[in-house]
Amino acid sequence: MSSKTRVLIVGGGACGMSAAYAFSQHPDKFDATLYERSANAGGMATSAPINRDKYGAEYINDGVQGASPVFYNTYALFDKLGFKASDVGMQVSFGRDPETDFWSNVFPSQVIDKFSDDIKKFGRVLKIIKTFEPLFAMISVSAMLKMFRFSKEFGEVIVFPLVALFFGTGNQTPFISSAILERVFMDPNMRLFEYSPDTFLASIPRMCAFPRLSVLYSVWQAVVEEQGKGSVRIVTKREVTQVRRKRNGVEVWSRPTEGTDNGQDVIDPGKEEMEVFDELIFCCDADAALKILGSDASWLERRILGNVKYLWDVTVTHSDLSYMEKHYRVRYDPELRSKKDQDDHERRKKYAFAEKSFQPLYFIRSVPDDKSKLEMSFDLTVYQPQFDGQSPYGPQGIPAVETEETRGITHSHSAISKDSYRIGSRQATEDGPPTHDGEVSGHHSPPLERHVFQTIFLDNAPESRKFWTKDNISPKEVIMEKWWKQQSHRWQHYAGTVPWMGLINGKRRTQFAGAWTVLNMHEIAVVSGFGAAYRLGADFPFKENPDCKRLFALCLAANHMMRMRSEDRDGFWS
């Protein structure tokens, strides 16, 4: 009989794949199996083909676009797999009307002037939130704004859109924990924007766009299986339906599928089979874990996991420029500028830059009839590097192993040769124009009329759906439409779930992991998966990297109420 621990991982997104990677470092200690119900690993991180002749690229990344440069574990993992993220300047266009709701981090606007007093006060409030973070974790953003007597319009035009943009909180933003606000500006593990008392956002921050995710996950799977030397299996098109946890093991029933449809339901499920494992890691949504547990769920599991709420959004990928220009500011217009301090040298520099290089990759607006409701869009042509001719592996990326997907790219008749891809920053920032170490011969980014946009219509509930303008997008310009299940970051999540995960993790041979355990971010999903494996005895893969270790230690404490092992830490926590 094998002395190795038999582990089942449920779910093959970033969390489950990270747990599998950690176990693959110990082929002598673990026999790990990962079951993913869809056709491919990756979860929300998917890629989809598009018409290259029409749009200037042969694929888009769908669902997950990129991340902050402080996602150290994500990029360290990319490095191990031979992939690189690409730098892009994060230009944002908020609203449309110059007098009521348009503002940007690219240049000062009339709206920023209008809220100058609130903006200055906001900086002082951030320091208060940081000082009393445990208290503000249980106070909603809308309640906090009322508490400090911010104007209602400031919340609707400035605060709600910004938080929704960065954390993907959508129409739930007024109800999320106000502690998240401090994270946007001050947390070294999550910070993206620099606060300015004059313009609210001080600069165009660096953002990182991900390489081709479908290929990355295929390489990730191959690396895990190769490194695991047969001790780690990743099985797609396999759905776990129920479990029974006993003293001597976990009985698991699963069945084959033909993948999942656009609504994330399984296609053509087969006959159930039962297996026995020693340990179980749920790397899926909280409600999915509860459904699988069924009557075997404990009272605490039902309370803590049942407190996590989800919403359904739909994304429409399209090339309807007229729709975008009707609802957002896609191009620079001098009428959008602030009316104050027109001769100020710094402001004039920003206006000159915007006139030449205004290229928003994020758009967000409040619904005119209910400004607590939002709509978001991306310009994928500006955001994603393949539209600029860059390698699907990222700048100077070389996959760690060859897979069917990488061979398809290498031998594709339509692919640009790898040596001809551009390398470097793709979008202008205030420091200068885009830089490239090499130019693609004959490659030009498509004109704005052929840009690929993605618009997200939030929360498929009657009170939100009635404001959707999805039907205004020209059907002939629609490339694809896809439904997504999104976590709601209500303040109740930080009162009833996050602090109590340690009470259910490690109990009855079960771990719960995923971005939902803290905050819906790719980086949290990765470290949460590492944490579940670490608790069972696997090593943290990046324990020599202090940047990676810092967030890992925090999530380990939050998810498991435990410290890193003594041999892995230098101080009390890490």
Side-chain angles (χ1 to χ4, degrees):
M1 184 175 178
S2 173
S3 61
K4 294 193 288 186
T5 303
R6 299 164 298 173
V7 183
L8 176 66
I9 303 166
V10 182
C15 177
M17 291 294 287
S18 296
Y21 184 90
F23 287 128
S24 73
Q25 301 174 110
H26 307 281
D28 57 327
K29 292 174 62 176
F30 299 98
D31 272 325
T33 300
L34 183 153
Y35 284 159
E36 165 57 44
R37 64 205 295 265
S38 64
N40 301 288
M44 293 182 66
T46 61
S47 304
I50 59 173
N51 186 327
R52 182 180 170 191
D53 292 336
K54 184 174 182 179
Y55 302 115
E58 59 187 18
Y59 73 93
I60 58 168
N61 280 337
D62 187 38
V64 178
Q65 317 288 346
S68 163
V70 299
F71 281 22
Y72 299 113
N73 287 275
T74 295
Y75 303 129
L77 194 50
F78 283 7
D79 285 343
K80 291 283 189 182
L81 303 176
F83 288 75
K84 305 288 183 181
S86 304
D87 288 354
V88 60
M90 187 180 178
Q91 296 189 26
V92 187
S93 175
F94 297 89
R96 192 180 190 286
D97 185 87
E99 295 183 357
T100 61
D101 65 356
F102 172 79
W103 63 287
S104 174
N105 64 327
V106 181
F107 60 92
S109 70
Q110 298 171 48
V111 167
I112 292 299
D113 294 338
K114 178 180 178 180
F115 294 117
S116 59
D117 291 341
D118 279 329
I119 288 170
K120 288 180 172 62
K121 181 166 66 173
F122 188 81
R124 299 191 294 270
V125 170
L126 282 177
K127 295 177 182 177
I128 296 172
I129 294 174
K130 183 175 178 64
T131 302
F132 301 101
E133 184 177 15
L135 172 63
F136 283 95
M138 292 181 283
I139 297 175
S140 70
V141 170
S142 59
M144 181 278 296
L145 292 172
K146 291 177 183 177
M147 180 188 304
F148 290 102
R149 298 184 179 276
F150 286 100
S151 66
K152 180 183 178 184
E153 198 176 1
F154 176 71
E156 293 173 339
V157 174
I158 303 291
V159 178
F160 295 164
L162 176 66
V163 177
L165 166 74
F166 188 51
F167 288 106
T169 49
N171 291 341
Q172 297 297 302
T173 302
F175 315 112
I176 68 169
S177 166
S178 57
I180 285 181
L181 288 172
E182 179 266 329
R183 301 287 178 175
V184 174
F185 293 98
M186 305 178 78
D187 188 325
N189 295 305
M190 299 179 187
R191 180 178 58 207
L192 181 60
F193 296 107
E194 180 184 351
Y195 165 77
S196 165
D198 298 318
T199 58
F200 195 61
L201 301 182
S203 61
I204 301 171
R206 172 185 165 225
M207 193 73 171
C208 295
F210 287 168
R212 188 169 183 169
L213 291 168
S214 59
V215 179
L216 183 146
Y217 271 88
S218 76
V219 172
W220 194 341
Q221 177 173 342
V223 166
V224 165
E225 292 175 336
E226 182 180 281
Q227 186 170 270
K229 299 177 181 177
S231 68
V232 180
R233 293 189 308 139
I234 295 175
V235 182
T236 57
K237 296 185 179 180
R238 189 87 192 176
E239 180 187 35
V240 176
T241 56
Q242 59 176 314
V243 301
R244 291 291 180 270
R245 295 168 292 180
K246 300 184 176 181
R247 287 187 178 182
N248 60 346
V250 182
E251 295 178 348
V252 177
W253 284 262
S254 66
R255 61 187 181 182
T257 75
E258 289 301 318
T260 54
D261 60 20
N262 193 28
Q264 298 186 19
D265 293 322
V266 296
I267 302 169
D268 295 333
K271 184 179 178 181
E272 288 186 346
E273 298 174 341
M274 194 270 281
E275 302 167 90
V276 178
F277 295 88
D278 299 313
E279 298 286 343
L280 177 65
I281 303 177
F282 283 108
C283 294
C284 55
D285 292 333
D287 59 349
L290 269 181
K291 182 179 179 181
I292 293 169
L293 287 171
S295 61
D296 198 48
S298 68
W299 179 85
L300 266 179
E301 288 169 340
R302 289 194 296 270
R303 291 284 296 180
I304 295 170
L305 302 183
N307 185 59
V308 184
K309 303 302 180 186
Y310 293 92
L311 306 168
W312 284 92
D313 304 335
V314 64
T315 60
V316 179
T317 305
H318 62 93
S319 57
D320 191 344
L321 178 61
S322 62
Y323 175 87
M324 294 297 294
E325 294 198 304
K326 179 180 179 180
H327 295 288
Y328 305 99
R329 289 290 180 167
V330 180
R331 309 175 200 257
Y332 174 73
D333 189 326
E335 75 167 6
L336 301 173
R337 301 190 317 196
S338 165
K339 303 299 184 184
K340 293 184 178 180
D341 302 323
Q342 293 283 340
D343 295 328
D344 179 81
H345 176 67
E346 288 302 316
R347 290 197 169 205
R348 287 170 60 189
K349 278 177 59 178
K350 290 179 182 290
Y351 298 143
F353 168 81
E355 189 170 0
K356 293 180 180 179
S357 305
F358 186 59
Q359 286 185 299
L361 55 88
Y362 281 115
F363 303 86
I364 187 164
R365 69 182 183 95
S366 299
V367 174
D369 294 332
D370 183 349
K371 289 189 176 294
S372 68
K373 301 291 189 291
L374 301 166
E375 177 187 295
M376 302 169 61
S377 290
F378 307 95
D379 186 335
L380 301 187
T381 303
V382 173
Y383 197 163
Q384 298 189 8
Q386 68 273 16
F387 288 96
D388 207 31
Q390 201 171 95
S391 164
Y393 312 132
Q396 299 178 324
I398 301 174
V401 298
E402 189 178 63
T403 68
E404 183 177 343
E405 285 77 6
T406 63
R407 287 191 292 271
I409 290 172
T410 303
H411 300 141
S412 170
H413 294 297
S414 63
I416 302 171
S417 67
K418 189 164 68 175
D419 292 338
S420 70
Y421 283 112
R422 289 183 181 179
I423 299 170
S425 174
R426 299 183 46 256
Q427 189 196 52
T429 67
E430 293 172 78
D431 297 326
T435 59
H436 302 286
D437 298 326
E439 292 293 324
V440 179
S441 176
H443 181 85
H444 302 283
S445 295
L448 194 56
E449 290 74 17
R450 288 170 52 205
H451 277 211
V452 176
F453 303 101
Q454 193 170 79
T455 300
I456 307 176
F457 298 96
L458 300 161
D459 186 9
N460 186 33
E463 61 270 21
S464 296
R465 185 164 185 153
K466 66 183 179 181
F467 297 117
W468 286 6
T469 54
K470 184 165 73 78
D471 293 341
N472 293 346
I473 298 175
S474 171
K476 68 179 183 180
E477 302 293 347
V478 173
I479 300 169
M480 61 182 290
E481 186 174 304
K482 196 168 184 179
W483 287 91
W484 301 94
K485 182 181 176 185
Q486 297 284 2
Q487 176 197 342
S488 169
H489 293 81
R490 307 170 310 151
W491 68 267
Q492 292 94 330
H493 182 70
Y494 296 93
T497 297
V498 175
W500 314 112
M501 289 302 301
L503 299 180
I504 58 175
N505 267 329
K507 306 298 188 292
R508 302 181 67 195
R509 301 176 176 269
T510 306
Q511 316 281 337
F512 300 94
W516 61 267
T517 62
V518 180
L519 189 67
N520 189 25
M521 288 180 156
H522 191 277
E523 178 79 347
I524 301 295
V526 169
V527 296
S528 184
F530 286 155
Y534 187 85
R535 179 162 189 157
L536 293 179
D539 286 339
F540 173 50
F542 309 120
K543 59 186 178 182
E544 304 303 323
N545 184 323
D547 290 325
C548 293
K549 195 162 70 169
R550 183 171 58 246
L551 183 61
F552 174 75
L554 289 172
C555 286
L556 194 66
N559 286 179
H560 300 277
M561 296 182 180
M562 63 180 286
R563 295 182 291 168
M564 295 183 71
R565 293 187 280 270
S566 58
E567 63 269 24
D568 294 335
R569 66 177 191 265
D570 301 317
F572 183 78
W573 287 109
S574 63

